[in-house]
Amino acid sequence: MVSWIRNLSFAGKLRVMIFHAVTGALLLSFVLYALTQSLAARRDALRHLQTLADAVGENAALALARADRAQALSALRSLHADPLVRRAALYDTATAQLLADVDFPAPGAAAGRMTRAHLQRPVLLGEHPVGAIELDADLAPVYAQVGRSLESVLAALALVGFGAYFWSSRLRRFITVPVEDLVKVTRDVFENKNFAIRAQRGAHDEFGVLVDGFNRMLAELERRDRNLLVYQNQLERLVGERTVDLDRAVSDAQKAAKRAEEASRAKSDFLARMSHEIRTPMNGVLGMAELLSHSPKLDERQRRYVMTIRQSGGSLLEIINDILDFSKIEAGKLVLDHTGFCLRDVVEEAAEILAERASTKGLELICDIPPAMETAVLGDRVRLRQVIINLISNAVKFTERGEIKVKVRQIDPNLSNSVFRFEIEDTGIGIRPENCATIFESFAQEDISTTRQYGGTGLGLAICKQLVDAMGGEIGVESVPGKGSIFSFTLPLGPDPAAAPPRAWTVLRGAHVLLVDDNTTSRRILGRHLAAWGSSVVEAASSREALAILDKALDGEFGVMIIDSQMPEMSGTALAERIRALARFASVPLVMMQSEAVSNGARDLGRGPVAWMSKPVRQAQLHDRLCELLADDGEGTRKMKFAFNGGKTPSIALQGSGDFKRKVLLVEDNPVNAEVALAMLRELAVDADSVSSGETALERLALSRYDAVLMDCQMPKLDGYEATRRFRDWEQLEGNGRTPIIALTANALDGDAEKCYAAGMDRYLSKPFTLEQLRDVLGGCWPEPAAAQLVRTGAPHDSDAAAGAGADSAALDAIPAGTSDEAADEVSESAGVILDHTALERIKAMHRPGRTDLLTKVIGLYASNSTGLADALRTSALSGDANGLMRAAHALKSSSANVGAVALAELCRSIEAAAAEGRIDLAGMLVERFLHEHRRVLQALDQEIMAA
């Protein structure tokens, strides 16, 4: 209704308004009149009935007094003449009895509720009441008469309303005509864009004033339109001139940007060239100084000169690293990784790298990471490690005495992407409050004297801030001059869903451990770890206190003792010798903690197992050492020997009561993969024979008995699947027991494991595999206790091997001499991408003194073997030989992964898949990329050999 009225014309709205106003007024008048008439008629009728009742009551008073019923009825029947009365009754008030009751029925319908009336009046005899009279009346005739009167009034009002509407409609033109004329002018102005049109004024009322205002507005718009046209012409001319100037400025800016880009490229080329030119001789200087420092022919003065050369060279190399890292960040070439890693390993690796430098200054370096904290996270492992190393190095540099504590805590672990807080606290010189705000700026240090005394470029903290900002964190510092500093930063790191759940150990549960360490913080942290593993810990702050505890201890009360070898008054080594002299504790296993700066190998502490560990002690290493020390085969025939291994991971050799060794046949046609696998088997103290084909493997298996077979699945002529089937048939024919066969395959697709099991293989190992994986799969093939002989004889744990996976803050430390500028730039830009250093570190870790350098041998085999396969790959691509492409790519895939060329291995996987699908064109394109990447890999491997 409202919208309908809103859309009417002005005249229509005016008609509706007049009609509703007149109609409403007339209806309201009629309603008021009707109510007034109805109420007046009812009042008059009731007054008439009251008078009538009083008159009848006077006539019937004597009858009521005498109780004369006949006379009372006669008096009541006199009311029959009144058309409103329908019933009359007389009551005796003294006896409350009805004396007479007369009904007067009327033709038609009975009285309704609205027209019915009831009246009661007292009957007086003189002045004394003798009774009462009641009357029931029907007022319908009264209302009918009022209705007939209202009909006449309504007809008159309708006539008046029609006349008022007619005359108002005739008079509305005095209002609507001026408005319609104004609307017409407005429409003409809008449609024709002609502001010269004017409206005509018809009267001197408000509409006349409105027309005058409208005409003045049109005049103003006409004037502005003319001015706007003039301004538009001027603006077009100015825009044309400015466009010419802008084009000239853009051209100049493009030239300037090109010059800046060329300058930036020249700076990058210069830095790469300087890295090549400076690092190569620096590696020679530092290497020769290292060798010279171990010469027994040097006197004290000469040795001091050599140490000065080493320290100066190391400082220079750190400066070069800082400048290159800062330049790379400024150039916007910083690319963050997002992979899974163990946070605890990263922090402990960083502390381990700087442990020797800290212990040389007599500082205690401590890692405080809660044992129950979830440390399998996703993020950039390399950059996080670089920040921690820089901050610890900074703390070591500016701390002369006391301790350095690396603390990690998790903020709100319930979030899907929780925040970790890292703190590096030292007891060094501290920073003045006014310098804390600028300490993270480029080239900023406390003052000039700080630079002269401690050295450095002042870029380390600036690099840390930029790296932390890039990873979405915040970094800050709190410091008190003369007391030390706390550098802290936070990083959001999500959980790693692919991380394996932690192993559940029970051997430490309930073990009683004596912990002896003079450093309160270190003792508290180690005690917390031991308590988390379920061990009962007794702490001693000195050797004297430890001896006092042992004097009161019962025989066999302690299952293992952890002793710090460097303590005041009585050293930990002297304490261990005193303990060995006590018959009760002569055979108790000992874990000796020793700083790298003073470690000179393991010392013989008499009978009983001893493990020498480097400080700061890594939680996983301590856990494994304690588990191995406390494990027992139940016969007491096992002898444990532990040797100090440069502070990395103690080497362990477990020997049974006899000299029995397991024997394995390795079937691998790729010489690189074969050499790596043989080195791993030697690390596990397993005798191994190696053959390169399935046919030769069957001959060996027919002549000799092996405890397991490592079978490569993809080999020319007779592959591993068919060789396994034939061997299983031969076993069944001869009635021999089942020999475990472990599949070695570079494929990791769905269905590969099922294919291996269907061929008769027992285990599945995807290449490249780690030493731990090989040990686990072999251990699963052999029953206990023989599987216990698969032990580490010098190789680090996976967590240690992973320490080499991420490049440290000097990721470009070795660009080989003779490398072209272009190649140097490629290597310097992609050193962390071309090679996965985890694989190379594993190979290095398996090298043993007195043998040919394993890394050099493996890289040499890979270089010669992969070059021939690369030629075969190129030839097959040119000839469209899909089978040749698949064979060469498969062989290159696993061997490349074994030397850490992960990107190259993925290319080989793509080439193999494209050839298998018959997409030779795609495979050919990928081969071109492979050849380019292969050259880069060989250059990077040459760099690794020279750096070693």
Side-chain angles (χ1 to χ4, degrees):
M1 178 67 180
V2 175
S3 60
W4 173 73
I5 296 175
R6 184 183 297 114
N7 295 326
L8 289 176
S9 64
F10 181 74
K13 291 176 182 177
L14 191 60
R15 289 193 191 96
V16 171
M17 290 171 59
I18 293 172
F19 174 78
H20 280 79
V22 171
T23 304
L26 292 177
L27 287 177
L28 179 61
S29 300
F30 175 76
V31 169
L32 292 176
Y33 177 78
L35 288 175
T36 303
Q37 291 299 315
S38 298
L39 292 176
R42 181 181 179 88
R43 185 175 59 252
D44 293 342
L46 291 176
R47 188 179 296 114
H48 166 72
L49 291 174
Q50 182 178 349
T51 303
L52 187 61
D54 290 342
V56 173
E58 289 180 2
N59 295 330
L62 187 58
L64 280 173
R66 296 176 180 177
D68 187 350
R69 178 180 178 83
Q71 188 178 355
L73 287 173
S74 176
L76 292 177
R77 287 191 182 99
S78 66
L79 295 172
H80 178 71
D82 195 307
L84 299 180
V85 179
R86 293 290 175 266
R87 173 179 172 272
L90 285 173
Y91 290 90
D92 187 354
T93 56
T95 61
Q97 291 182 352
L98 177 66
L99 182 63
D101 186 2
V102 180
D103 288 329
F104 304 102
R113 181 182 302 176
M114 298 298 297
T115 60
R116 186 184 304 161
H118 178 76
L119 183 66
Q120 185 176 13
R121 299 291 293 175
V123 177
L124 301 177
L125 182 59
E127 296 181 356
H128 302 286
V130 293
I133 184 172
E134 287 186 354
L135 296 181
D136 286 337
D138 185 6
L139 304 183
V142 176
Y143 290 141
Q145 184 178 358
V146 172
R148 288 190 293 272
S149 175
L150 291 177
E151 289 176 358
S152 301
V153 172
L154 183 61
L157 290 177
L159 184 61
V160 171
F162 176 77
Y165 179 77
F166 174 77
W167 285 109
S168 62
S169 299
R170 299 284 294 174
L171 296 175
R172 67 174 176 80
R173 65 180 183 275
F174 295 105
I175 299 176
T176 59
V177 170
V179 174
E180 291 172 352
D181 293 342
L182 194 59
V183 170
K184 182 179 179 182
V185 173
T186 303
R187 186 181 296 111
D188 291 343
V189 171
F190 175 76
E191 293 177 354
N192 301 322
K193 300 296 187 294
N194 183 7
F195 297 107
I197 300 176
R198 298 293 183 269
Q200 298 298 322
R201 179 174 181 176
H204 296 280
D205 56 1
E206 288 81 357
F207 286 106
V209 175
L210 178 62
V211 169
D212 291 341
F214 184 75
N215 289 334
R216 286 195 296 271
M217 182 183 68
L218 290 177
E220 180 65 21
L221 288 175
E222 184 180 14
R223 183 182 62 81
R224 291 189 179 185
D225 195 34
R226 288 195 300 269
N227 294 337
L228 183 60
L229 184 60
V230 174
Y231 293 152
Q232 183 178 357
N233 294 332
Q234 294 177 351
L235 183 60
E236 289 177 355
R237 179 175 53 81
L238 291 174
V239 168
E241 296 174 356
R242 296 295 185 269
T243 302
V244 174
D245 295 339
L246 184 60
D247 291 341
R248 188 182 302 110
V250 169
S251 178
D252 295 341
Q254 290 175 344
K255 293 177 181 178
K258 187 176 181 180
R259 288 194 298 269
E261 185 178 352
E262 292 174 351
S264 177
R265 189 182 301 110
K267 183 180 74 170
S268 300
D269 294 341
F270 172 75
L271 289 173
R273 191 176 298 110
M274 289 301 295
S275 171
H276 169 80
E277 298 297 337
I278 296 176
R279 288 172 179 274
T280 301
M282 281 303 301
N283 286 332
V285 170
L286 293 175
M288 295 308 294
E290 174 72 21
L291 294 174
L292 188 59
S293 65
H294 295 291
S295 175
K297 298 181 180 180
L298 298 180
D299 58 27
E300 187 61 31
R301 180 172 58 86
Q302 292 168 334
R303 194 175 303 280
R304 188 168 63 253
Y305 291 164
V306 173
M307 292 303 297
T308 302
I309 294 174
R310 287 184 60 192
Q311 293 172 358
S312 300
S315 299
L316 180 58
L317 200 58
E318 288 181 359
I319 293 173
I320 295 170
N321 292 338
D322 285 346
I323 294 175
L324 288 176
D325 276 344
F326 187 74
S327 176
K328 189 173 184 179
I329 293 173
E330 272 198 332
K333 296 183 179 180
L334 177 67
V335 179
L336 296 177
D337 197 6
H338 192 72
T339 57
F341 65 92
C342 178
L343 186 63
R344 187 185 307 279
D345 288 345
V346 171
V347 176
E348 290 179 342
E349 288 165 13
E352 195 172 62
I353 290 172
L354 295 163
E356 182 176 1
R357 191 187 305 178
S359 59
T360 302
K361 299 181 69 174
L363 303 175
E364 190 83 18
L365 182 55
I366 303 167
C367 289
D368 182 6
I369 306 174
M373 188 176 73
E374 180 59 48
T375 56
V377 296
L378 291 172
D380 194 321
R381 176 187 188 277
V382 175
R383 296 304 177 185
L384 173 59
R385 183 170 176 261
Q386 180 177 351
V387 172
I388 297 174
I389 288 176
N390 280 344
L391 293 179
I392 298 177
S393 176
N394 192 66
V396 173
K397 180 191 298 184
F398 294 105
T399 304
E400 297 300 329
R401 63 182 64 86
E403 66 181 27
I404 297 170
K405 182 168 67 174
V406 183
K407 180 179 177 182
V408 183
R409 293 294 183 268
Q410 189 174 10
I411 304 173
D412 201 350
N414 296 322
L415 295 179
S416 59
N417 198 36
S418 61
V419 177
F420 289 82
R421 179 178 176 84
F422 302 80
E423 293 182 1
I424 292 83
E425 181 179 357
D426 63 59
T427 55
I429 61 175
I431 306 170
R432 290 192 295 270
E434 61 271 19
N435 292 330
C436 288
T438 60
I439 197 68
F440 294 102
E441 296 179 1
S442 305
F443 307 104
Q445 284 196 348
E446 183 76 356
D447 51 36
I448 299 298
S449 62
T450 303
T451 304
R452 291 177 179 175
Q453 181 178 355
Y454 296 98
T457 60
L459 288 176
L461 294 179
I463 293 173
C464 289
K465 176 172 174 52
Q466 295 193 39
L467 289 176
V468 170
D469 290 345
M471 291 186 286
E474 296 179 356
I475 190 170
V477 61
E478 300 175 7
S479 183
V480 178
K483 293 186 178 181
S485 305
I486 301 178
F487 283 87
S488 63
F489 65 95
T490 58
L491 280 185
L493 298 171
D496 183 7
R503 292 179 294 179
W505 297 89
T506 59
V507 68
L508 295 181
R509 195 169 299 159
H512 291 265
V513 182
L514 176 62
L515 175 60
V516 187
D517 194 335
D518 64 307
N519 186 281
T520 304
T521 305
S522 176
R523 192 171 65 249
R524 176 178 55 82
I525 293 172
L526 289 175
R528 191 168 60 196
H529 290 327
L530 292 166
W533 297 332
S535 300
S536 176
V537 185
V538 176
E539 298 182 8
S542 66
S543 298
R544 303 291 182 189
E545 185 179 344
L547 289 174
I549 293 173
L550 293 176
D551 286 341
K552 300 177 182 179
L554 301 175
D555 186 12
E557 180 175 343
F558 295 106
V560 66
M561 301 182 189
I562 304 174
I563 303 173
D564 182 11
S565 62
Q566 287 86 42
M567 290 188 292
E569 298 181 6
M570 181 187 296
S571 68
T573 306
L575 173 62
E577 293 172 348
R578 293 280 297 273
I579 293 173
R580 285 291 184 243
L582 300 173
R584 293 179 299 164
F585 304 107
S587 60
V588 174
L590 301 179
V591 176
M592 303 298 297
M593 301 182 296
Q594 187 170 353
S595 299
E596 290 196 38
V598 297
S599 64
N600 52 4
R603 292 184 54 180
D604 187 8
L605 298 177
R607 65 191 182 93
V610 178
W612 290 83
M613 300 190 67
S614 167
K615 295 179 67 178
V617 176
R618 299 180 66 167
Q619 182 193 25
Q621 294 176 9
L622 177 62
H623 188 278
D624 291 347
R625 296 297 80 74
L626 292 174
C627 290
E628 290 155 353
L629 284 168
L630 293 174
D632 192 356
D633 59 6
E635 299 178 1
T637 59
R638 181 180 59 186
K639 183 180 180 182
M640 297 187 180
K641 296 180 181 179
F642 295 82
F644 191 82
N645 187 25
K648 299 300 179 188
T649 305
S651 59
I652 310 166
L654 296 180
Q655 297 177 351
S657 56
D659 295 329
F660 174 76
K661 278 193 173 183
R662 291 289 180 174
K663 192 172 183 180
V664 170
L665 177 63
L666 172 65
V667 187
E668 173 64 71
D669 66 318
N670 189 292
V672 177
N673 298 344
E675 188 64 34
V676 173
L678 287 173
M680 289 184 177
L681 291 169
R682 285 194 295 269
E683 289 297 303
L684 298 176
V686 175
D687 286 342
D689 293 336
S690 177
V691 296
S692 58
S693 67
E695 295 88 345
T696 310
L698 292 176
E699 295 174 1
R700 288 289 187 93
L701 289 170
L703 296 174
S704 301
R705 179 69 177 174
Y706 292 93
D707 296 294
V709 179
L710 297 173
M711 180 73 72
D712 182 22
C713 294
Q714 301 291 336
M715 292 184 292
K717 297 183 181 178
L718 187 65
D719 62 19
Y721 302 113
E722 184 60 29
T724 300
R725 294 189 190 96
R726 295 185 185 183
F727 178 65
R728 292 301 184 209
D729 293 340
W730 179 82
E731 270 185 336
Q732 188 174 7
L733 184 64
E734 294 292 324
N736 296 334
R738 185 181 180 91
T739 300
I741 298 180
I742 301 165
L744 303 180
T745 175
N747 292 328
L749 302 175
D750 293 339
D752 288 333
E754 290 77 3
K755 186 177 180 181
C756 295
Y757 298 144
M761 299 176 181
D762 302 283
R763 295 288 189 274
Y764 177 87
L765 198 55
S766 180
K767 295 186 288 188
F769 47 84
T770 65
L771 187 62
E772 289 291 339
Q773 291 170 336
L774 179 59
R775 183 178 69 172
D776 292 342
V777 75
L778 287 176
C781 292
W782 301 331
E784 296 290 347
Q789 293 182 358
L790 287 179
V791 295
R792 310 289 296 271
T793 60
H797 287 271
D798 277 349
S799 59
D800 304 318
D808 59 13
S809 58
L812 312 175
D813 277 352
I815 297 179
T819 306
S820 66
D821 292 340
E822 181 180 356
D825 181 64
E826 286 182 356
V827 174
S828 64
E829 291 294 337
S830 308
V833 177
I834 298 176
L835 296 178
D836 177 10
H837 287 76
T838 304
L840 298 177
E841 290 296 330
R842 288 178 183 144
I843 297 173
K844 291 177 184 178
M846 291 187 289
H847 173 68
R848 291 293 167 264
R851 298 179 182 175
T852 304
D853 182 67
L854 184 60
L855 180 64
T856 304
K857 183 177 181 181
V858 170
I859 291 177
L861 285 171
Y862 175 78
S864 59
N865 185 64
S866 65
T867 301
L869 288 172
D871 292 337
L873 200 63
R874 183 191 297 107
T875 303
S876 300
L878 293 175
S879 61
D881 182 4
N883 291 329
L885 282 169
M886 291 173 60
R887 287 194 299 271
H890 184 86
L892 281 164
K893 178 175 60 178
S894 59
S895 60
S896 299
N898 267 325
V899 297
V902 180
L904 192 66
E906 286 300 319
L907 267 177
C908 294
R909 187 187 303 277
S910 300
I911 294 172
E912 184 182 10
E917 296 173 1
R919 303 170 67 184
I920 305 300
D921 293 340
L922 175 59
M925 295 172 58
L926 294 174
V927 167
E928 292 300 323
R929 291 175 54 188
F930 166 85
L931 296 174
H932 173 70
E933 184 69 18
H934 182 246
R935 288 193 295 271
R936 300 175 68 197
V937 167
L938 293 181
Q939 290 175 356
L941 290 174
D942 289 341
Q943 171 186 336
E944 290 293 328
I945 294 176
M946 296 185 68

